[in-house]
Amino acid sequence: MLGRCSGIVVFLALAGTWEAASRLGVVSALYFPPVTVIAATFGKLAASGLLPAQVGLTLARALAGLALAALCAVPLGLCMGVSRRFRGLLSPLVEVLRPVPPPAIIPAAMLFLGIGDGMKVFVVFFACFFPILIGAADGARAVAPGFRLTAAAYGVSRPDALLRVILPAAGPSVAAGLRTAVPMGLIVAVLSEMIGATNGIGHYILRMQRTFAIPEMYAGVAALGLAGLCCNAAAQWGLGRLTRWSGGDRPGD
Amino acid sequence: MLRIERLAKSYAGHNGAASACALAEVSFSVPRGGFVSLLGPSGCGKSTLLQCVCGLLAPSHGRVLLDDREVTGPPPEMALIFQNASASLFPWMTVAGNIRFVLRRKPGSKKDKEAVAAKALADVGLAAFAGHYPWQLSGGMQQRAALARGLAYGADVLLLDEPFASVDAQTREELEDLLAGVAASQAKTVLFVTHDIDEAVYLSDAVTVLTPAPARVAAVIPVDLPRPRDQVAAREDRRFLDARKTIHALLRH
Ligand SMILES: Nc1ncnc2c1ncn2[C@@H]1O[C@H](COP(=O)(O)OP(=O)(O)OP(=O)(O)O)[C@@H](O)[C@H]1O
Ligand SMILES: [Mg+2]
């Protein structure tokens, strides 16, 4: 509790310093408008529905890309984890594509997908795919042999075991991959909106900057920060519930 | 009739290590409805043998015949109760969930299966723990849960790997009598691995004694005590004591 309180004090002190520096002319009030002005602008834009709409667009794209990535990467990763043959087949491709920073593919994606939603969803998909794939593959590979043997001994078919034994056993590792993917998806969605889009919070922030609507620009940044915070918290909470069995107090033996 | 014919198993060596021979040549059989125990020093290959018998491990030489059909994969009429219960019970399922999971492919209504699971748990004294997760149970309780799951599976052939190793003496006697009762009333064929000479003699029609690794059959000692047996009376019987003495001498050389 004490840590939390002092954290809030630090935050307020910083905001206060910004406010004072801006109002006293220590820094340019044009580039660093007072925090209270930004907050007021944020309140106005949030109430008018503009910020929620723009953030909503961005989140929808990020979520679509993330969901598609999870849908493809989890099964592929699990298969890579349990089958050496499958791993041999895919890992050269994965090793080549994985180090490519996702923003680097935005220009190429714009060539064949234009600047519509498809391009953004694809770029998010690309960014989220690899952390999820690696999480699933590592998790499946590390599943204790006892679980697999038990499933086999009790007549569980291999596809069934993949879904009902390997997936849950690898769950914590899959969840870790997803937790990494969520902020990456958001970053890449915003970036793709800055490079090629006509809406979305990334596009909005850039447009405000170019038209010197600086308080609006900061309000957009704040809205995005808030959205990111909520996404991470939601992922943490949801995934934590799904893999609850692996946490908590467990007797060692 | 379960026949083990000249079974041998070597594990491939890892990272250049020499391959390890666990089973040299093991032959014996368990008649239909018979109860045979396997006794041998730690590390001699008993768990390896059980996994070969139920088709989880491919033998290096020799074969396993169940009613004259060669076992190449886990047959539905066999259930293996693993040595390490905590590595065999699925921690993301409740104790009852673990049992229902192995019954999924069996015919019968959901309600019937609930009843089978509840009955099995009551038999091993875990009726009150159906909704608990395995990691909320003690080591001995986990063993009993794994036993309940194996019995509930309804297989004709039971392979048990030191199922009572970590339960207290009182519970152990109860579980031994439970197993003997189930085996007799449902005409199960049982192959039972244990470290405990008394337990082997008390439960079995015959005790197969193995040599230290790599295992061979040192001797097969028949136990012709009448059934049903009584924990106190049986242990005072001349025939019990004779069998016990013979096995003791074999294990000590
Ligand atoms: N997966 C494995 N890879 C390599 N060697 C193994 C493996 N499993 C067992 N072994 C070796 O095979 C031998 C027999 O092991 P096993 O587990 O069958 O013994 P056990 O008789 O069941 O022992 P215990 O009574 O202690 O359970 C041991 O020497 C062990 O080192
Ligand atoms: Mg063993």
Side-chain angles (χ1 to χ4, degrees):
Chain A
M1 205 57 223
L2 193 76
R4 186 160 219 134
C5 280
S6 32
I8 291 171
V9 168
V10 169
F11 179 82
L12 289 178
L14 206 68
T17 312
W18 176 322
E19 178 84 19
S22 175
R23 293 217 181 263
L24 297 172
V26 180
V27 294
S28 153
L30 180 61
Y31 295 152
F32 297 99
V35 177
T36 45
V37 172
I38 297 173
T41 312
F42 179 87
K44 200 178 69 207
L45 291 174
S48 77
L50 187 142
L51 280 182
Q54 297 302 315
V55 169
L57 270 173
T58 307
L59 285 183
R61 288 164 182 155
L63 206 67
L66 178 75
L68 275 177
L71 230 53
C72 301
V74 170
L76 280 175
L78 293 181
C79 291
M80 280 176 77
V82 294
S83 154
R84 186 178 300 173
R85 188 125 56 84
F86 209 83
R87 191 156 59 239
L89 216 62
L90 281 191
S91 48
L93 188 69
V94 172
E95 290 315 313
V96 168
L97 286 180
R98 188 161 72 111
V100 175
I105 66 148
I106 295 176
M110 282 168 74
L111 276 185
F112 55 90
L113 289 170
I115 62 165
D117 287 339
M119 178 274 280
K120 285 154 205 110
V121 170
F122 172 78
V123 177
V124 172
F125 169 88
F126 183 87
C128 296
F129 183 83
F130 293 103
I132 303 175
L133 183 83
I134 302 301
D138 287 352
R141 223 176 144 172
V143 171
F147 294 147
R148 278 212 244 175
L149 289 175
T150 302
Y154 286 99
V156 180
S157 69
R158 279 180 65 105
D160 222 19
L162 203 64
L163 182 67
R164 290 169 197 277
V165 176
I166 305 293
L167 175 60
S173 178
V174 174
L178 283 166
R179 268 195 294 269
T180 318
V182 166
M184 279 180 74
L186 200 57
I187 291 169
V188 173
V190 170
L191 204 63
S192 68
E193 287 171 352
M194 289 181 163
I195 295 177
T198 53
N199 54 20
I201 192 71
H203 174 257
Y204 176 81
I205 291 171
L206 197 66
R207 191 157 55 86
M208 292 305 107
Q209 185 249 2
R210 286 183 176 152
T211 55
F212 273 91
I214 304 303
E216 281 78 2
M217 179 194 81
Y218 282 119
V221 173
L224 190 52
L226 215 59
L229 202 68
C230 293
C231 285
N232 288 342
Q236 193 81 31
W237 181 80
L239 295 170
R241 277 189 68 91
L242 281 179
T243 56
R244 195 164 33 173
W245 60 270
S246 71
D249 301 329
R250 310 208 15 203
D253 64 329
Chain B
M1 174 91 147
L2 181 63
R3 290 221 323 254
I4 289 95
E5 289 186 354
R6 307 177 62 114
L7 202 70
K9 175 70 191 174
S10 299
Y11 287 103
H14 273 295
N15 305 329
S19 67
C21 182
L23 303 172
E25 189 187 303
V26 177
S27 304
F28 65 95
S29 58
V30 187
R32 176 177 280 277
F35 198 126
V36 169
S37 285
L38 273 173
L39 263 177
S42 181
C44 80
K46 302 181 294 297
S47 298
T48 304
L49 179 56
L50 283 196
Q51 290 191 20
C52 287
V53 168
C54 84
L56 283 175
L57 272 180
S60 313
H61 291 289
R63 54 185 194 160
V64 175
L65 296 172
L66 178 61
D67 296 331
D68 297 322
R69 272 177 300 121
E70 184 167 352
V71 175
T72 50
E77 52 273 68
M78 272 191 199
L80 172 57
I81 289 132
F82 288 84
Q83 181 169 11
N84 186 351
S86 69
S88 164
L89 292 166
F90 302 115
W92 55 91
M93 299 178 193
T94 61
V95 169
N98 265 278
I99 300 180
R100 285 196 302 268
F101 181 68
V102 302
L103 297 178
R104 279 174 60 244
R105 289 300 174 84
K106 301 260 167 182
S109 72
K110 212 168 163 184
K111 223 165 136 206
D112 292 343
K113 293 177 186 177
E114 297 282 347
V116 170
K119 164 91 172 45
L121 284 173
D123 281 346
V124 300
L126 288 181
F129 295 89
H132 282 58
Y133 287 90
W135 38 272
Q136 294 172 317
L137 307 182
S138 73
M141 290 159 84
Q142 290 178 13
Q143 277 197 336
R144 285 187 274 155
L147 176 68
R149 183 176 65 181
L151 293 179
Y153 190 56
D156 293 334
V157 181
L158 296 176
L159 310 173
L160 300 105
D161 200 346
E162 299 183 38
F164 311 141
S166 51
V167 296
D168 62 277
Q170 177 64 38
T171 311
R172 186 176 184 136
E173 290 191 356
E174 285 168 20
L175 292 177
E176 285 169 2
D177 289 333
L178 168 73
L179 180 63
V182 167
S185 66
Q186 298 173 30
K188 304 272 191 200
T189 305
V190 185
L191 184 53
F192 184 90
V193 168
T194 176
H195 273 144
D196 186 327
I197 301 177
D198 283 23
E199 180 171 82
V201 176
Y202 175 68
L203 287 172
S204 313
D205 305 323
V207 179
T208 301
V209 182
L210 300 175
T211 64
R216 295 170 186 280
V217 176
V220 177
I221 314 296
V223 182
D224 52 0
L225 281 169
R227 289 184 190 270
R229 296 173 186 173
D230 174 81
Q231 290 278 2
V232 178
R235 282 167 215 269
E236 288 166 352
D237 194 292
R238 185 79 255 150
R239 291 163 288 191
F240 182 97
L241 296 170
D242 286 345
R244 188 176 186 280
K245 204 160 125 194
T246 315
I247 295 167
H248 204 266
L250 276 166
L251 284 174
R252 261 210 314 217
H253 321 285

